[in-house]
Amino acid sequence: MAYEVPALPYAHDALEPHVDKATMEFHHDKHHQAYVDKANAALEGTDLDGKDVREVLENLSSLPADKQGPFRNNGGGHLNHSMFWESMSPDGGGEPTGELADALTATFGSFDAFKEQFEAAGVGQFGSGWAWLVLDTSSPSATGTRGAELSITSTANQDSPVLEGKTPLLGNDVWEHAYYLQYQNKRPAYLKAWWNVVDWNKVAERYSDAR
Ligand code: MN3
């Protein structure tokens, strides 16, 4: 079955004032739709047509050579944005609790230090891309301290951390289309404001599922 843009789990204006309605309308309704359409076009007629998007990205080399680049970009865009809408909530913000909170503190020193490093990854991503909190289940440290598996990274374009065998727990979109209407060139201000809408329950659920 062809991919579809998932419905937003809240109204387009529900994340205001931190993410404005116009940005959400263009971002969700137009940009995400374009990734879905192009991802579907890339898979059409291949053996991987109908497979889960993450599974296809993890097996990119199984696609015909001329489809790999288009699917990396557009399948990646579909996966990244599907996660992104669910990572935000009008009831978001605050701080995580429980095992995720403990792991963030153990890994980064404090929740504030985690946020600082994540924002730095977003600001430092040259051009379009994403900042990520990932769980590295393939690293040797996976057998050691649980908190040591977490790390912050950034990717270019629509590259998903799953291309590197990592599980994305939280990603922030630092493409200009994600913030330019509201924040113009102030990417750092967008990254800071975005914490007010992060749904930590969702991130904790991904952390728990991935371990
Ligand atoms: Mn985007």
Side-chain angles (χ1 to χ4, degrees):
M1 203 181 88
Y3 302 128
E4 290 176 7
V5 177
L8 267 188
Y10 37 77
H12 288 90
D13 62 359
L15 304 180
E16 291 196 347
H18 311 293
V19 184
D20 74 302
K21 182 182 180 185
T23 297
M24 291 299 288
E25 285 174 343
F26 281 102
H27 200 181
H28 175 269
D29 302 1
K30 307 293 182 191
H31 288 277
H32 192 166
Q33 187 66 55
Y35 295 123
V36 162
D37 292 345
K38 290 175 188 170
N40 286 332
L43 283 198
E44 201 177 345
T46 70
D47 293 343
L48 294 176
D49 198 356
K51 299 279 189 201
D52 178 74
V53 62
R54 179 171 176 160
E55 191 183 332
V56 181
L57 285 169
E58 286 170 342
N59 295 284
L60 207 53
S61 60
S62 313
L63 280 177
D66 65 328
K67 306 291 188 190
Q68 291 177 20
F71 195 83
R72 178 176 179 146
N73 291 334
N74 294 291
H78 178 39
L79 178 61
N80 293 342
H81 287 87
S82 297
M83 287 188 62
F84 184 61
W85 314 127
E86 290 197 332
S87 300
M88 301 186 287
S89 163
D91 304 317
E95 296 191 12
T97 55
E99 289 188 331
L100 175 62
D102 294 345
L104 287 171
T105 302
T107 306
F108 303 104
S110 68
F111 181 61
D112 283 344
F114 154 73
K115 287 199 293 186
E116 254 173 55
Q117 289 179 46
F118 188 98
E119 288 171 35
V123 171
Q125 171 58 42
F126 184 77
S128 298
W130 291 74
W132 299 101
L133 171 68
V134 298
L135 190 69
D136 189 351
T137 43
S138 65
S139 78
S141 66
T143 54
T145 310
R146 281 300 186 177
E149 303 166 38
L150 290 173
S151 61
I152 289 169
T153 186
S154 64
T155 59
N157 304 316
Q158 293 296 348
D159 282 358
S160 166
V162 307
L163 294 168
E164 295 174 358
K166 293 170 182 163
T167 297
L169 301 179
L170 178 67
N172 194 1
D173 189 340
V174 298
W175 283 59
E176 287 185 346
H177 69 223
Y179 63 87
Y180 213 87
L181 289 178
Q182 187 177 4
Y183 294 92
Q184 291 81 47
N185 61 325
K186 301 181 198 71
R187 189 191 286 187
Y190 159 70
L191 280 153
K192 216 168 261 307
W194 185 71
W195 297 119
N196 291 300
V197 295
V198 170
D199 184 352
W200 288 107
N201 293 328
K202 189 69 199 174
V203 183
E205 186 185 309
R206 291 184 186 132
Y207 180 59
S208 168
D209 288 350
R211 290 168 76 218

